[in-house]
Amino acid sequence: MFEPSPPTIFALASAPGRAGVAVVRISGDGSGRALDAVAGPRPAPRKALVRTVRHPQSGAHLDRGLVLWLPGPKSFTGEDVAELHLHGGRAVVQAVLAALALLPGLRLAEPGEFARRAFEAGKIDLAEVEGLADLIDAETEGQRRQALAQASGALSDLYDGWRASLVDALALIEAGIDFSDEGDVGARTFAEATAVIRALVPAVNHHLDDGHRGEILREGFRVALVGPPNAGKSSLLNALAKRNAAIVSAEAGTTRDVIEVRLDLGGLPIVVSDTAGLREAAGEIEQEGMRRSLAVAQAADLVLWLTDASHPQTALPPVLGAVADKTLLVLNKIDLMTGGTAPVVLPDDMVPLSVATGEGFDALVKRIAVIASERIGHHAEPALTQVRHRRLVEGCRDHLDAFLAGDPDAVELRAEDLRRAADALGRITGRVDVEDVLDQVFGRFCIGK
């Protein structure tokens, strides 16, 4: 049965807004005709030439720029692709997009549609697609390295290797089933398959037992500033952000809601949250703020307990007992301590600080960066970066455990365990039917990708 080719799509592939250069991408069977219509004659494949871009109906000049002709399958999408490299003014881009919309068979691309066509053409797999999206969103050096490795296939290679081992083990079991009437063939092949799985399980468990470092690097290492009112939490947030992100006042209880800023410390993404001060007597609104403070502290990767040097509270309140193991004690306003003040005995791991004078600030920033680096790390092996991946790898692990714990005489059921484990890994890269996750994956992209 004849199936019509998908429509030719076009979109702005560079960031919107004023820029030196804007790139308009066209992909599909009609991209060559579109290029001829607005900037013909088309150049030789993969050779950039200067062309005047014209309105396809009136012939009016819209711009002058570089054009590229990239016939499939040697293109990002695997289809015929044309690119127009224009001047980046809004009026230029809008005029060219409006002109392309007049051509028959062309339509504006949907979010992620170029990447989806690349996936469907086998140019990239699902894990690489997600790495590409993370690479576009990367804000720090650490995020860039991780996303580039995933987009380049590091994670896919790992899972494909595991899946190949599962397929080998499954083939051994299937062979045992097929030749079950020939002596000890079934028992021997089952034992060989079991050996393969026993060697694979530790690698899967090690991959899962990573402290969520890949997800933390992708989303940001979360630091919560917690403490009594007027301890200097908002002042510290502003110092870290190098701007007035939070209101600072001598009045207790100024902060009522959570305020977040994103930082780049040594190439690692750090998300710092300023929270409402914790105290017993408070109004209804402030109580809600404190409830949110506790929620932020529980979800944080690191809690900074700030206390005032003039009346330090070095012991955490009972409500923070659950986060004590990830809490760093910080004594602020040490500039207010005078010779007449009774000496304060500080815990060995408490960090002295004066946000007002800057004393101890660099040391605190370095301490945060070291803690984040130890938690996230720079590991050679690829890390789990998506909740979707983690759940599927956990599913694979559960099916492998079921295989090892199951009755070896129920060979067909043990084969099904391996089949489901391989299916879980295949869903990460898209090696199996994954229609239910495609919209979620590609919907993250902007229009031109």
Side-chain angles (χ1 to χ4, degrees):
M1 181 178 178
F2 173 75
E3 293 185 3
S5 59
T8 298
I9 57 176
F10 67 92
L12 177 66
S14 52
R18 183 182 179 188
V21 176
V23 178
V24 172
R25 175 182 288 157
I26 312 168
S27 181
D29 290 345
S31 58
R33 294 190 300 273
L35 182 59
D36 292 339
V38 300
R42 76 182 76 169
R46 282 164 284 281
K47 182 177 181 180
L49 290 179
V50 176
R51 288 282 189 269
T52 296
V53 181
R54 304 176 304 274
H55 193 281
Q57 295 177 349
S58 68
H61 289 194
L62 304 178
D63 193 23
R64 187 169 175 81
L66 291 176
V67 299
L68 283 167
W69 169 237
L70 308 168
K74 295 182 179 180
S75 69
F76 173 66
T77 62
E79 302 174 321
D80 289 345
V81 171
E83 288 187 356
L84 308 176
H85 293 233
L86 312 166
H87 292 97
R90 293 178 185 271
V92 172
V93 173
Q94 290 302 319
V96 172
L97 293 179
L100 291 173
L102 296 174
L103 296 174
L106 267 68
R107 66 163 173 80
L108 191 66
E110 297 176 357
E113 191 168 6
F114 288 103
R116 183 161 184 161
R117 291 191 178 193
F119 166 74
E120 291 172 344
K123 293 291 184 176
I124 50 179
D125 63 37
L126 271 187
E128 291 169 340
V129 167
E130 290 166 315
L132 180 59
D134 288 345
L135 187 60
I136 294 172
D137 293 336
E139 296 178 339
T140 70
E141 177 62 15
Q143 289 175 322
R144 182 196 65 79
R145 285 198 302 266
Q146 176 171 277
L148 183 60
Q150 184 172 333
S152 301
L155 206 57
S156 301
D157 290 344
L158 175 67
Y159 297 146
D160 285 345
W162 290 353
R163 192 165 183 267
S165 296
L166 286 173
V167 171
D168 289 343
L170 183 58
L172 287 168
I173 291 181
E174 295 287 359
I177 295 174
D178 291 341
F179 298 97
S180 58
D181 56 343
E182 296 190 17
D184 63 345
V185 172
R188 187 175 69 252
T189 55
F190 190 89
E192 292 176 2
T194 301
V196 172
I197 301 307
R198 289 193 186 281
L200 181 59
V201 167
V204 176
N205 286 330
H206 175 73
H207 188 59
L208 287 169
D209 188 22
D210 64 349
H212 295 262
R213 61 182 178 86
E215 291 137 296
I216 292 173
L217 179 57
R218 179 173 174 267
E219 299 292 340
F221 183 84
R222 306 194 73 85
V223 178
L225 306 182
V226 183
N230 278 349
K233 299 184 295 299
S234 297
S235 297
L236 178 56
L237 181 81
N238 291 343
L240 290 168
K242 298 181 181 179
R243 61 184 176 87
N244 292 326
I247 297 174
V248 176
S249 171
E251 179 183 343
T254 302
T255 301
R256 302 295 182 89
D257 207 345
V258 178
I259 301 174
E260 289 187 349
V261 297
R262 300 185 70 89
L263 310 175
D264 181 346
L265 296 185
L268 300 178
I270 310 294
V271 182
V272 184
S273 300
D274 180 24
T275 67
L278 301 181
R279 59 177 177 174
E280 292 184 4
E284 181 178 351
I285 295 178
E286 196 173 346
Q287 287 178 353
E288 173 61 20
M290 290 191 291
R291 187 193 65 78
R292 296 185 183 189
S293 298
L294 294 176
V296 169
Q298 292 169 356
D301 301 299
L302 173 65
V303 176
L304 298 188
W305 173 257
L306 256 68
T307 185
D308 191 328
S310 60
H311 43 276
Q313 301 179 30
T314 57
L316 289 179
V319 292
L320 291 178
V323 299
D325 60 339
K326 58 178 181 180
T327 298
L328 179 63
L329 305 179
V330 180
L331 183 69
N332 189 27
K333 304 183 183 181
I334 59 174
D335 56 304
L336 301 182
M337 300 174 66
T338 63
T341 303
V344 178
V345 179
L346 303 177
D348 293 338
D349 59 347
M350 195 168 207
V351 179
L353 172 70
S354 172
V355 177
T357 66
E359 182 180 357
F361 179 77
D362 290 342
L364 176 62
V365 171
K366 290 179 181 178
R367 185 78 175 271
I368 295 172
V370 167
I371 294 173
S373 180
E374 290 174 349
R375 177 69 186 277
I376 300 174
H378 298 293
H379 300 265
E381 66 270 17
L384 286 158
T385 63
Q386 308 270 347
V387 173
R388 184 181 78 85
H389 298 176
R390 183 172 294 277
R391 288 175 178 170
L392 288 169
V393 175
E394 287 173 344
C396 172
R397 187 265 318 273
D398 292 343
H399 292 308
L400 296 181
D401 289 344
F403 171 85
L404 294 175
D407 182 1
D409 292 331
V411 184
E412 290 83 359
L413 295 180
R414 303 292 73 79
E416 183 63 19
D417 290 333
L418 296 188
R419 197 172 290 111
R420 291 182 177 183
D423 180 76
L425 292 179
R427 286 179 175 272
I428 298 177
T429 58
R431 304 293 188 230
V432 294
D433 183 16
V434 289
E435 190 66 31
D436 54 336
V437 299
L438 291 185
D439 290 339
Q440 177 185 352
V441 170
F442 292 103
R444 292 182 53 207
F445 285 94
C446 58
I447 293 293
K449 195 63 181 178

